Amino acid sequence: MPLVVGRGRSIKAVEQSQNADNLLVVVTQRVLTTGDPQIEDLHKVGTLCKVEGSTPTEQGSRQIIVTGIGRYRVMEYNLSPGGYLEARGEIVSDVYSTYEVRNQALFYNLKELAREVIELLPGATEPLIKLIDRVEDPGYLCNVCAAYLSLSLSEKQELLEMVQINERIEKLLNAMRKERETLQMQREIRDKMSERLNKAQREALLREQLRTIRSELGEEPGEGIADELELKLQEAGLPEEALKHSGEELRRLRALPPISAEYHVLRTYLEWLAALPWNKKTESPIDLQRARRILDEDHYGLEEVKKRILQFLAVAKLKNDIRGPILCLLGPPGVGKTSLGQSIARAMGRKFIRTSLGGVRDEAEIRGHRRTYVGSMPGRIIQSIKRAGTRNPLMLLDEIDKLRADFHGDPSSAMLEVLDPEQNRNFTDHYIDLAFDLSDVFFITTANVVDTIPPPLRDRMEIIEVSSYTSYEKLQIAKKYLIPKQLSEHGLRNNQVILPDETLCKVISHYTREAGVRDLQRKIAALFRATAEKVVEWQDKSGSTLTDGRAIDLGPGQLQEFLGPEKYFPEKAERIMKPGIAPGVAWTPQGGDILYIEATVMPSGKGNLILTGQLGEVMKESAQIALSVTRAMMSRSMMAMVLRKSYDLSQYDIHIHVPAGAIPKDGPSAGITILCAIVSLFLTKSIFSNLAMTGELTLRGAVLPVGGIKEKVLAAHRAGLNHIILPKRNESDLIYIPKEVRDQIHFTLVDNVEEVLTYVFGTDAFSAQAAA
Ligand SMILES: Nc1ncnc2c1ncn2[C@@H]1O[C@H](COP(=O)(O)OP(=O)(O)O)[C@@H](O)[C@H]1O
Ligand SMILES: [Mg+2]
C-alpha cells in the first residue's frame, strides 16, 4: 500500500523505523480535519506495517510503500525525545467461534461474494480471483476484501477493531452486497450506453450518461419507464375505451416527477392495466369422453356428481355457451370440492384459479378500493384474473357460504354482479375503473352449508351435493389415489412399502374422524415420512441404494409407533345408556355426528323447561313441542298406566341439555330424540345403545322428514350404531346411502310419535289404538 507522509513528526517516525526492523504502526485520527492531532485524537487500533521503501517527493514529503503485518492495539503512546510518537501494544488476533459449521459457511459466503464483486469490476480481474481462491485464512480474506471496498473511514475503522471474526465477516458481507449493487448498476449504465453508441454519437454520449444517472436517481421523469409501459399497454390488447383512457393517464405520467407519490400510484395503476389479460384465452373444445376420463383419473366414485358435471358440459357444448346457472359444489370439508374444480378446468382446457371468499366481509375485497386510497388495490376478482393470465379461466369461488355482510357494505351484491351474465360483461372494479369483460369466465362455487349462502346468490346456483365418504369409500380413495400420490411425493417406490388394508382401515377408524379424506391423507403422509426415514437408514447401513427384496412392512401393530396412540374410539363404547338419555344424529358442516340428548327432572319446581347447550331458536321450540306432546300423552289414561303413576308436570322443572355445550346447534331434526329423552326419564327406562334417531316432531305428534339423511346415517354407522329410526317420508333418501352401509343397518321408518315410542320402549301401550 503506498502512503504519503507529510507531517514532520511522521517523517521522523518513518526514519526512526529503520532502527526497529522497519516496523511502523499506522493509525488514523478520529477527526480527519484536525490539523495537529494530539495523542487523544488518535485511534487506539491500527495496523502494524513494514516499510518496504521510501522516496522523498518534491514537496518535501515522502512517499512510502508499506506491507501490513497485522492489526495492532496500542496500549500506550509516548512522545519520544526525537519528536515522534512511540507506541507500545500488541498484535490483535481474530477470535473464532467454536461453531465450526457456521464459521465455514460464513467464510464460504464471503469468498463467493468476493468473487462476484470482483467479476463486476472493469478490467482484468483474473489474478485477483486467483488470489481470493487461494486464501485459506478467513482473517486474511477479510483484510483483503476490506482494503478493496469503498467504505467510509469510520466503517473501516470499525472493521479493524472487531475481534470476533464472524462479526467481521457479517459486516463485510453487508458492505459487499451494497458494493455489488452499485457495481451492477454502473455496469448497466455502461451497457445501456454502449448499446446506443456509434461513431456519430460522441456528443450524445455524455447527455445519455447524465440522463441514465438522473433517472436511476429518480430525479427526472422516467422516460424509459413510460416508454416501456406504453409498449406493454399496446401489447395488452385493451378495448377501445380503455386504450383511450390509458393513453391519457400515460401522458399524465410523463409529466409527473418520479419522486412524487402520485407518479408511483399512477405507474402502479398503468402496470395493472398492462398486466390484465384483456384478450388472452385458452380453451379446448368440450369433449365429453375426454372430460369423463379426466374426472375419473382424478377422483374415485362421486358418480352422481360426475354425471351432473358432464350433463352441464354437454349443455354448454350444445348451446355453445357456458352461461347459465352457476355450479355450486356443496359438501363437508375434504370431500374433493376444490380438486373437482381443478379437474373440470383440466377437462375444459382452461386455466384454474381459486379465489377464497371465506371471511370476506367488505365489498371492497371483491370490487377493489378506489385509486385515491393509499395502497389501494383491485379486488379479489381482478387479482385472480391477473394471476390466471387469461380472460376465460375457470374461477373457483371457494367457500361462498362464508361471505358476510356488515357495515362495510354487502359483498354479496358485488358477487351477484360478478356472477350475473347480464352484468358481468361490464364488470367494473373500483381500482381499475374500467369495464372488464368477465362473461367468458367459468365460475364454480363451493360451500359447506347451503343455509348461509346469501339467498340472491343461491338463486343463481345449481347445487351439486358432494357428500361424506363411507369407510369403504375412504379405503378405495386411499388405495387408488392418495397412496400413489403420497408415494411419489415422498420419493418412495411401490415395492419399498407394504401397507395392508387392515392398517388403512385402522387409520380410518381410529386415527381420523372426518367426512372427507384430508386428515387421512395427512396420516398417510406421516406414515410415509417414517418409512422414508427407515429406508434411508437401511440404505446408509448397507451402503446400497437398492432395497429390492426389502420393504418396510406397515402392519396395524406399527401404527402406535408411527402415529402415536389411537385418537378415536367408536362413540358407542364410551356411553353407558341411562334413563333420560337419547341418541340423536345431527348434521354438521363437517359431516354427520352422534348427539346424545340428556334430560333430567327436578321435583318441587314450577313446570319450567330449562334448556342448555347453546340451542338455536328452532331447537328450543322443538324442545317445547316435545314437552307439550309428552304432557298431552300423559293425560291420556293408557300412558299413565304405562308410567304406573301419574305425574303432575306443573310440579316439576325439566332440564334438557345437549352436549357438547360449546358448539351452537340448531334445527328441528332432534324433535323425536328430545321426546324420547323425556319419556325415557319418566319411564326410568334406558334406550338401547345400538339405536339412533332423527325426525322433526309436530305438536300433533306427527313425524316430519329432515335433511342430511346420508350424512347422519354414515355418522351413526361410523359410531357403530346399527338401528336407526327415520321419518317415513325420508325413505327415498336411502338410495343415496352406499349399499355396504345400508346392508349393515336396520332402518325403522316412522310416521308418528306413537310408532317412535313403541319401537324405542318396546311396548305397544303407546300405539294409537291403545291410546284411543
Ligand atoms: N373421491 C376422491 N378421489 C380422490 N381423491 C379425493 C377424492 N375426494 C377428495 N380427494 C382428495 O382429498 C384432498 C382434499 O380435497 P379438497 O378438494 O381440498 O376438498 P374440499 O375442497 O372439498 O375441502 C385432495 O387432495 C383430493 O384430491
Ligand atoms: Mg376446498
Side-chain angles (χ1 to χ4, degrees), residues 71 73 90-96 162-164 168:
R71 298 183 291 151
R73 182 181 297 112
E90 56 177 321
I91 296 263
V92 181
S93 328
D94 286 310
V95 175
Y96 286 82
M162 283 181 169
V163 181
Q164 298 288 345
R168 257 208 305 162

Coordinates of all heavy atoms in Angstrom, one line a residue, residues 71 73 90-96 162-164 168:
R71 N -3.1 -6.4 12.6 CA -3.8 -5.4 13.3 C -3.1 -5.2 14.7 O -2.6 -6.1 15.3 CB -5.3 -5.7 13.5 CG -5.9 -5.9 12.1 CD -7.4 -6.2 12.3 NE -7.6 -7.5 12.8 CZ -8.7 -7.8 13.5 NH1 -9.6 -6.9 13.8 NH2 -8.9 -9.0 14.0
R73 N -3.1 -3.2 18.6 CA -3.8 -2.4 19.6 C -2.8 -1.7 20.4 O -1.9 -2.3 21.0 CB -4.7 -3.3 20.5 CG -5.5 -2.4 21.5 CD -6.3 -3.2 22.4 NE -7.4 -3.9 21.7 CZ -7.5 -5.2 21.6 NH1 -6.5 -6.0 22.1 NH2 -8.4 -5.8 20.9
E90 N 0.1 -4.5 21.4 CA 0.1 -5.9 21.0 C -0.6 -6.2 19.7 O -1.5 -5.4 19.3 CB -0.6 -6.8 22.1 CG -2.0 -6.3 22.3 CD -2.7 -7.1 23.4 OE1 -2.5 -8.3 23.3 OE2 -3.5 -6.5 24.1
I91 N -0.3 -7.2 19.0 CA -1.0 -7.6 17.8 C -2.4 -8.1 18.2 O -2.6 -8.8 19.2 CB -0.3 -8.8 17.1 CG1 1.1 -8.4 16.6 CG2 -1.1 -9.4 16.0 CD1 1.2 -8.0 15.2
V92 N -3.4 -7.7 17.4 CA -4.8 -8.2 17.7 C -5.0 -9.4 16.8 O -4.9 -9.4 15.6 CB -5.8 -7.1 17.3 CG1 -7.2 -7.6 17.6 CG2 -5.5 -5.8 18.0
S93 N -5.4 -10.5 17.5 CA -5.7 -11.7 16.7 C -7.2 -11.9 16.6 O -7.9 -11.5 17.4 CB -5.1 -13.0 17.3 OG -3.9 -12.7 18.0
D94 N -7.6 -12.6 15.6 CA -9.0 -12.9 15.4 C -9.5 -13.9 16.4 O -8.7 -14.9 16.7 CB -9.3 -13.5 14.0 CG -9.2 -12.4 13.0 OD1 -9.9 -11.3 13.2 OD2 -8.5 -12.5 11.9
V95 N -10.7 -13.8 16.9 CA -11.2 -14.8 17.8 C -12.3 -15.6 17.1 O -13.2 -15.0 16.4 CB -11.9 -14.1 19.0 CG1 -12.6 -15.1 19.9 CG2 -10.8 -13.3 19.8
Y96 N -12.2 -16.9 17.1 CA -13.1 -17.7 16.3 C -14.1 -18.3 17.2 O -13.9 -18.6 18.4 CB -12.3 -18.9 15.6 CG -11.5 -18.4 14.5 CD1 -10.3 -17.8 14.6 CD2 -12.0 -18.5 13.2 CE1 -9.5 -17.3 13.6 CE2 -11.3 -18.0 12.1 CZ -10.1 -17.5 12.3 OH -9.4 -17.0 11.2
M162 N -12.9 -4.9 15.2 CA -13.7 -6.1 15.5 C -12.8 -7.3 15.8 O -12.0 -7.6 15.0 CB -14.7 -6.4 14.4 CG -15.9 -5.5 14.3 SD -16.9 -6.0 13.0 CE -18.3 -5.0 13.4
V163 N -13.1 -8.0 16.9 CA -12.2 -9.1 17.3 C -12.8 -10.4 16.8 O -12.2 -11.3 16.4 CB -12.0 -9.0 18.8 CG1 -11.1 -10.2 19.2 CG2 -11.4 -7.7 19.2
Q164 N -14.2 -10.5 16.9 CA -14.8 -11.7 16.6 C -14.8 -11.8 15.0 O -15.4 -11.0 14.3 CB -16.3 -11.7 17.0 CG -16.5 -11.6 18.5 CD -16.1 -12.9 19.2 OE1 -16.0 -13.9 18.5 NE2 -15.9 -12.8 20.5
R168 N -17.0 -9.7 11.9 CA -16.3 -9.0 10.9 C -16.8 -9.5 9.5 O -17.1 -8.7 8.6 CB -14.8 -9.3 10.9 CG -14.1 -8.1 11.5 CD -12.7 -7.9 11.1 NE -11.7 -8.9 11.3 CZ -10.5 -8.9 10.6 NH1 -10.3 -8.0 9.7 NH2 -9.7 -9.9 10.8

